[in-house]
Amino acid sequence: MAAQLNALNSDSYIDISRYRDQRFAGQLTTQEKLLKQSHTLYVGNLSFYTTEEQVHELFSKSGDIKRIIIGLDKVKKTACGFCFVEYYTRADAENAMRFINGTRLDDRMIRTDWDAGFIAGRQYGRGYSGGQVRDEYRRDYDPARGGYGKFAPQTQFQEGQNTF
Amino acid sequence: MPRRRRDSDEYDGDRGHKRRRTSEPIEIEDRLESLIIRVGEKSTSSLESNLEGLAGVLEADLPNYKNKILRILCCVARLLPEKLTVYTTLVGLLNARNYNFGGEFVEAMIRQLKETLKNNLYDEAVYLVRFLSDLVNCHVIAAPSMVAMFENFISVTQEEDVPQVRADWFVYVVLSCLPWVGKELYEKKDVEIDRLLCQIDGYLKRRVKTHVPMLQVWTAEKPHPQEEYLDCLLAQIQKLKKDRWQERHILRPYIAFDSVLCEALQHNLPPFTPPGHMPHAHYPMPQVVFRMFDYTDAPEGPVMPGSHSVERFVIEENLKYIIKTHWKERKTCAAQLLSYPGKNNIPLNYHIVEVIFGELFQLPAQPHIDVLYTTLLIELCKLQPGSLPQVLAQATEMMYMRLDTMNTTCIDRLINWFSHHLSNFQFRWSWDDWSDCLAVDREKPKPKFVKEVLEKCMRLSYHQRIVDLVPPTFSGLIPASPIFVYKYVDESASSLPGYAMSITVGNAIKNRASNDEILTILKEVPNPNQDDDDDEGETFNPLKVDVFLQTLLHLAAKSFSHSFSALGKFHEILKNLTESDDGKLHVVKVVYEVWRNHPQMISFLVDKLIRTQIVDCATVANWLFSQDMAHEFTRLFVWEVLHSTIRKMDKHVQKIQEELERAKDKLEKQQHKRRNSGDGQDVDKASDEDEDMDKSSDEDEDVDKSKARSKAKSKGAEDEEGQLEEQIDKLQEKVESAQSEQKNLFLVIFQRFIMLLTEHLVRCETGGVDISTPWYKNCIERLQQIFLTHHAIIQQYMGTLENLLFTAELDHHILAVYQQFCALQL
């Protein structure tokens, strides 16, 4: 049946967010077009210890996964808390945005967002110290993400003090 | 930075951006839609006054926007069944103010009904008929004409040589309208209604119900029988009739407007003959009603309506519609479920949990993807943290207690749901409450369930977490630590025939030797299967496969990506080793041997081996049913691998079919275009490319050039067509070959099932032992699961299956499964 109601077609969980990759090589309009057709998701707020296998198990619940690329610290080459999940179909990726985004993996609330497509090199954190930018300035203590943020003021105190 | 921010603002609110540029009518249409869809929501005034207000607005808009309003109202009738009575009241008010509009609306609805039936949209057709029947309550439609429509529907039960599911649907439609309109119709036409109910009763009594055992979630009658859906509905209607059609649950806004509405003139429905049966018609499958709660389960507060009360039916339907409307937006869905009108008189949390599990366990398939239900339940827990988690825990406990009679497919879904749910709540659970499962045979449903849940929990976390999680008494059910088992691990393995080779090959791989170099090395591996003077050429060498693959997978054992990358790098060698079916089978066996503690990795690798065409789907099927895997036969991962394999085969066939369709479409378009420009006259109809050509040359020259161009074009077009036709032929062959492979896959699977089951049945009979062992229950239900999960594909091959496999000579236990499957679309 052709007749539908626009107001009932709300599908806000799969809308693209405000984030745009500043290093994307191309026009903003191109990036947005790619985001709207993408089969690839960025997954954030992972623990450094979350494995590819755990990501695979969770994200397989919305469909068959083509590949997973674990984000790495550019210097240490160890996991730094994000990854890309690429599905074979757009529909499966949409279901992940609807039903896996905002749920827990490894006891952490993870966040998914559309990604314009993996290119070699994008698996590295872009923070100055090698990890993700968000971990440079983070002020809270997160044991699963290397403790305090790299440049958070507390780090100066932490070194000399006893723990209580 | 500032510039970028402005840029992204420009693109925000895409719809708003569009709206600024479009013309007024679309804005008004959106406004009307919004007004109509949102009537009654989140308002400080009562629903009645909102409806009154809206009716006034729409009446004023009728002169200019009548068609738009008609379209919107028809849409809400079809798409928002949970708000049925709100919209019938609205239509009633409009009809009272404008008789002609009422008539046009009824006509539009009848047109829509015909369309939905023609297009196999049976669910929507039910909502439309129910809408029409409730319009009787709103004095829009005359009761006798509604009864006449029902009579025409029921006459379908007298048709011969039509599928039973066709008559089923028409009976269902009539019965499902009666909770809304039974009272009114009975007051006007009691004789006719009684006759209808009598005919329905007769039909249901002679109806074939072979399909029921296949669709039941639990096989036990206690505590809640899982009834066939039409039987249950008739019982509910009969009870309603006994209660003199008093129904108190449905929200009926039109009652408040009775004085206005009864002044209105009614319309008669035109005589409606149900469309005849078409070969391509796809009627809905029969169902079994899912019940897990009754009034004893909700301790305090409002009482749960009984299983044969019509209220129960209406509540379940409405909750299902809410999920159907809002499934894409889980927060909205949860909020809508929890604000169900009439929630104060029912234990709403229990109804919601029951409906959600009912959908999750629905056979053959859930209406929505599994993970939706998990996430929806989590949202509901967030919104009702003081009450819903308890109901959920109670439900889980109840389902655990009844595992012994639960369908294996449903147990699978319960395992997946429960483990995923726990992973969102730090795996907190009172495992000790389930220590009764430790005292029985590990193959029994309860300990098996706990074992599989713990395995899934481990996949979402890690081994030590699970060890720390459960009481020490449960240690026997904890999954193995997922470590690689390398045959040639160290000097203790030096006596094994392949040991020395494994070191050579390992070093070659580490030193980045080429594929050719490694193949040369592998040529030296002795073949235990080959006799000294065997000149049959390359017989399959299992040791070669073993040495290479064990070593490779060992080096790549670190992660999924490492292993996948290894398969890719050495694809050539693996293809070389798997030229024969034996080779393919042995590769899969080695994968199992090394990763037997890590079923997740086995599934992953088998998937990649199929996708990279190193092994076939049939290889995997044969392997899973082989003697080597008999001890794993009842484990969940085995069936996940098998179903995933069948799905990949299906997607492969579909992909080639789509390619073929696209090529055929392209050819048709080409031929059409060529036919149109065949005269050479249509120089004006030049294609896009010609438009770019120079138009400024002399006219004569232009005409000559065009003639030459069109001649060249038609020659080129012919060539292209010829190429397309060749491509189509090739694709046609590919499709046929893929379908043949698919048919073969099912034949293999069913053959193996029949062999295993027959063996078991014969052994039991000769030994005088009861056939119903846990293994047998698992196996026969797995056979059912194949039929149910892939029914659409299997139906294509029914003829072959019946002729070759499911013949009358088969043991009746096995044949029964096949007959149940056939009964689903009889």
Side-chain angles (χ1 to χ4, degrees), chain B residues 400-401 403-404 434-451 473-474 476-477 774:
Chain B
Y400 169 80
M401 304 267 279
L403 281 170
D404 287 328
W434 288 354
S435 45
D436 64 326
C437 75
L438 300 169
V440 295
D441 168 22
R442 289 286 152 79
E443 282 299 304
K444 283 235 147 98
K446 280 183 187 167
K448 206 158 177 32
F449 168 76
V450 172
K451 196 157 183 279
T473 41
F474 277 70
L477 296 178

Short mmCIF file of all heavy atoms in Angstrom, two decimals, chain B residues 400-401 403-404 434-451 473-474 476-477 774:
data_model
loop_
_atom_site.label_atom_id
_atom_site.label_comp_id
_atom_site.label_asym_id
_atom_site.label_seq_id
_atom_site.Cartn_x
_atom_site.Cartn_y
_atom_site.Cartn_z
N TYR B 400 12.11 -21.36 33.92
CA TYR B 400 13.11 -22.35 34.31
C TYR B 400 12.42 -23.63 34.82
O TYR B 400 12.79 -24.75 34.47
CB TYR B 400 14.04 -21.78 35.38
CG TYR B 400 14.93 -22.81 36.03
CD1 TYR B 400 16.09 -23.26 35.39
CD2 TYR B 400 14.61 -23.36 37.27
CE1 TYR B 400 16.89 -24.22 35.97
CE2 TYR B 400 15.42 -24.33 37.84
CZ TYR B 400 16.56 -24.76 37.20
OH TYR B 400 17.34 -25.72 37.76
N MET B 401 11.39 -23.41 35.65
CA MET B 401 10.70 -24.56 36.23
C MET B 401 10.04 -25.42 35.17
O MET B 401 9.86 -26.61 35.37
CB MET B 401 9.58 -24.05 37.16
CG MET B 401 10.07 -23.14 38.23
SD MET B 401 10.43 -24.04 39.70
CE MET B 401 8.79 -24.18 40.35
N LEU B 403 11.11 -25.94 32.01
CA LEU B 403 11.99 -26.24 30.89
C LEU B 403 11.77 -27.63 30.32
O LEU B 403 11.96 -27.87 29.13
CB LEU B 403 13.46 -26.10 31.30
CG LEU B 403 14.00 -24.67 31.35
CD1 LEU B 403 15.37 -24.64 31.99
CD2 LEU B 403 14.07 -24.09 29.95
N ASP B 404 11.37 -28.58 31.18
CA ASP B 404 11.26 -29.96 30.73
C ASP B 404 10.30 -30.15 29.57
O ASP B 404 10.45 -31.07 28.77
CB ASP B 404 10.84 -30.87 31.89
CG ASP B 404 11.99 -31.06 32.88
OD1 ASP B 404 13.15 -31.06 32.42
OD2 ASP B 404 11.72 -31.22 34.07
N TRP B 434 18.74 -22.38 41.69
CA TRP B 434 18.62 -23.37 40.65
C TRP B 434 19.52 -24.59 40.90
O TRP B 434 19.81 -25.35 39.97
CB TRP B 434 18.96 -22.75 39.29
CG TRP B 434 17.90 -21.81 38.81
CD1 TRP B 434 16.69 -21.57 39.38
CD2 TRP B 434 17.95 -20.99 37.65
NE1 TRP B 434 15.99 -20.65 38.65
CE2 TRP B 434 16.73 -20.28 37.58
CE3 TRP B 434 18.92 -20.77 36.65
CZ2 TRP B 434 16.44 -19.36 36.56
CZ3 TRP B 434 18.63 -19.88 35.63
CH2 TRP B 434 17.39 -19.17 35.59
N SER B 435 19.93 -24.78 42.14
CA SER B 435 20.87 -25.87 42.39
C SER B 435 20.21 -27.24 42.21
O SER B 435 20.90 -28.25 42.16
CB SER B 435 21.50 -25.76 43.78
OG SER B 435 20.50 -25.46 44.72
N ASP B 436 18.88 -27.25 42.05
CA ASP B 436 18.23 -28.55 41.80
C ASP B 436 18.71 -29.15 40.48
O ASP B 436 18.68 -30.37 40.28
CB ASP B 436 16.70 -28.39 41.77
CG ASP B 436 16.24 -27.50 40.63
OD1 ASP B 436 16.96 -26.55 40.29
OD2 ASP B 436 15.16 -27.78 40.05
N CYS B 437 19.19 -28.33 39.58
CA CYS B 437 19.60 -28.83 38.27
C CYS B 437 20.90 -29.63 38.37
O CYS B 437 21.26 -30.38 37.45
CB CYS B 437 19.78 -27.69 37.26
SG CYS B 437 21.28 -26.74 37.50
N LEU B 438 21.62 -29.49 39.49
CA LEU B 438 22.90 -30.18 39.62
C LEU B 438 22.69 -31.65 39.91
O LEU B 438 23.60 -32.47 39.72
CB LEU B 438 23.72 -29.54 40.75
CG LEU B 438 24.05 -28.08 40.56
CD1 LEU B 438 24.63 -27.50 41.85
CD2 LEU B 438 25.03 -27.91 39.42
N ALA B 439 21.50 -32.00 40.38
CA ALA B 439 21.28 -33.36 40.84
C ALA B 439 20.83 -34.31 39.74
O ALA B 439 20.71 -35.52 39.96
CB ALA B 439 20.23 -33.36 41.96
N VAL B 440 20.58 -33.78 38.54
CA VAL B 440 20.07 -34.66 37.49
C VAL B 440 21.08 -34.82 36.37
O VAL B 440 22.06 -34.08 36.27
CB VAL B 440 18.73 -34.12 36.90
CG1 VAL B 440 17.66 -34.14 37.96
CG2 VAL B 440 18.91 -32.75 36.34
N ASP B 441 20.81 -35.75 35.50
CA ASP B 441 21.62 -36.02 34.31
C ASP B 441 21.87 -34.73 33.52
O ASP B 441 20.95 -33.98 33.26
CB ASP B 441 20.87 -37.06 33.46
CG ASP B 441 21.47 -37.23 32.07
OD1 ASP B 441 22.65 -36.88 31.88
OD2 ASP B 441 20.76 -37.72 31.18
N ARG B 442 23.14 -34.47 33.19
CA ARG B 442 23.54 -33.21 32.54
C ARG B 442 22.83 -32.96 31.21
O ARG B 442 22.80 -31.83 30.73
CB ARG B 442 25.03 -33.19 32.26
CG ARG B 442 25.88 -33.06 33.46
CD ARG B 442 25.84 -31.63 34.03
NE ARG B 442 26.08 -31.61 35.45
CZ ARG B 442 27.28 -31.70 36.01
NH1 ARG B 442 28.35 -31.80 35.26
NH2 ARG B 442 27.39 -31.69 37.32
N GLU B 443 22.29 -34.01 30.59
CA GLU B 443 21.60 -33.84 29.32
C GLU B 443 20.15 -33.40 29.48
O GLU B 443 19.49 -33.08 28.51
CB GLU B 443 21.65 -35.13 28.50
CG GLU B 443 22.99 -35.36 27.83
CD GLU B 443 23.32 -34.25 26.83
OE1 GLU B 443 22.52 -34.01 25.92
OE2 GLU B 443 24.38 -33.62 26.99
N LYS B 444 19.70 -33.37 30.72
CA LYS B 444 18.31 -32.97 30.93
C LYS B 444 18.19 -31.47 30.70
O LYS B 444 19.16 -30.73 30.85
CB LYS B 444 17.89 -33.33 32.36
CG LYS B 444 17.61 -34.82 32.51
CD LYS B 444 16.21 -35.04 33.07
CE LYS B 444 15.61 -36.28 32.52
NZ LYS B 444 15.73 -37.41 33.40
N PRO B 445 16.98 -30.99 30.37
CA PRO B 445 16.81 -29.58 29.98
C PRO B 445 17.34 -28.55 30.99
O PRO B 445 17.95 -27.57 30.59
CB PRO B 445 15.30 -29.44 29.81
CG PRO B 445 14.84 -30.80 29.45
CD PRO B 445 15.73 -31.75 30.15
N LYS B 446 17.14 -28.79 32.30
CA LYS B 446 17.53 -27.74 33.25
C LYS B 446 19.05 -27.53 33.33
O LYS B 446 19.53 -26.40 33.15
CB LYS B 446 16.94 -28.02 34.63
CG LYS B 446 15.50 -27.61 34.74
CD LYS B 446 14.97 -27.82 36.14
CE LYS B 446 13.48 -27.56 36.19
NZ LYS B 446 12.88 -28.04 37.45
N PRO B 447 19.82 -28.58 33.61
CA PRO B 447 21.27 -28.32 33.66
C PRO B 447 21.81 -27.89 32.30
O PRO B 447 22.73 -27.08 32.22
CB PRO B 447 21.87 -29.67 34.10
CG PRO B 447 20.79 -30.67 33.97
CD PRO B 447 19.49 -29.95 34.00
N LYS B 448 21.22 -28.42 31.22
CA LYS B 448 21.66 -28.04 29.89
C LYS B 448 21.45 -26.55 29.66
O LYS B 448 22.30 -25.86 29.11
CB LYS B 448 20.84 -28.82 28.86
CG LYS B 448 21.58 -29.00 27.57
CD LYS B 448 21.02 -30.16 26.81
CE LYS B 448 21.70 -30.31 25.48
NZ LYS B 448 23.08 -29.93 25.42
N PHE B 449 20.29 -26.07 30.10
CA PHE B 449 19.97 -24.65 29.96
C PHE B 449 21.00 -23.81 30.71
O PHE B 449 21.56 -22.85 30.15
CB PHE B 449 18.56 -24.42 30.51
CG PHE B 449 18.20 -22.98 30.69
CD1 PHE B 449 17.89 -22.18 29.60
CD2 PHE B 449 18.18 -22.40 31.96
CE1 PHE B 449 17.56 -20.85 29.76
CE2 PHE B 449 17.83 -21.07 32.13
CZ PHE B 449 17.53 -20.29 31.03
N VAL B 450 21.27 -24.16 31.96
CA VAL B 450 22.21 -23.37 32.76
C VAL B 450 23.59 -23.38 32.10
O VAL B 450 24.25 -22.34 32.00
CB VAL B 450 22.29 -23.92 34.20
CG1 VAL B 450 23.39 -23.23 34.97
CG2 VAL B 450 20.96 -23.74 34.92
N LYS B 451 23.99 -24.54 31.62
CA LYS B 451 25.31 -24.67 30.97
C LYS B 451 25.40 -23.76 29.76
O LYS B 451 26.37 -23.04 29.58
CB LYS B 451 25.47 -26.13 30.55
CG LYS B 451 26.86 -26.56 30.23
CD LYS B 451 26.99 -28.10 30.37
CE LYS B 451 28.41 -28.54 30.11
NZ LYS B 451 28.72 -28.64 28.69
N THR B 473 29.45 -25.07 43.70
CA THR B 473 28.74 -26.29 43.33
C THR B 473 28.42 -26.36 41.85
O THR B 473 28.20 -27.43 41.30
CB THR B 473 27.41 -26.39 44.10
OG1 THR B 473 26.81 -25.08 44.14
CG2 THR B 473 27.64 -26.87 45.52
N PHE B 474 28.41 -25.22 41.20
CA PHE B 474 28.06 -25.16 39.78
C PHE B 474 29.27 -25.38 38.87
O PHE B 474 29.15 -25.26 37.65
CB PHE B 474 27.42 -23.81 39.44
CG PHE B 474 25.96 -23.74 39.76
CD1 PHE B 474 25.51 -23.73 41.05
CD2 PHE B 474 25.03 -23.69 38.73
CE1 PHE B 474 24.15 -23.68 41.34
CE2 PHE B 474 23.67 -23.62 39.01
CZ PHE B 474 23.23 -23.62 40.31
N GLY B 476 30.73 -27.76 37.64
CA GLY B 476 30.60 -28.73 36.56
C GLY B 476 29.89 -28.19 35.34
O GLY B 476 29.97 -28.75 34.25
N LEU B 477 29.17 -27.07 35.53
CA LEU B 477 28.42 -26.52 34.41
C LEU B 477 29.14 -25.36 33.75
O LEU B 477 28.67 -24.81 32.76
CB LEU B 477 27.04 -26.04 34.90
CG LEU B 477 26.12 -27.13 35.44
CD1 LEU B 477 24.82 -26.52 35.94
CD2 LEU B 477 25.82 -28.18 34.38
N PRO B 774 16.16 -37.57 26.60
CA PRO B 774 16.46 -36.16 26.30
C PRO B 774 17.05 -35.99 24.90
O PRO B 774 16.72 -35.04 24.19
CB PRO B 774 17.49 -35.78 27.38
CG PRO B 774 17.24 -36.73 28.50
CD PRO B 774 16.77 -38.00 27.87
#
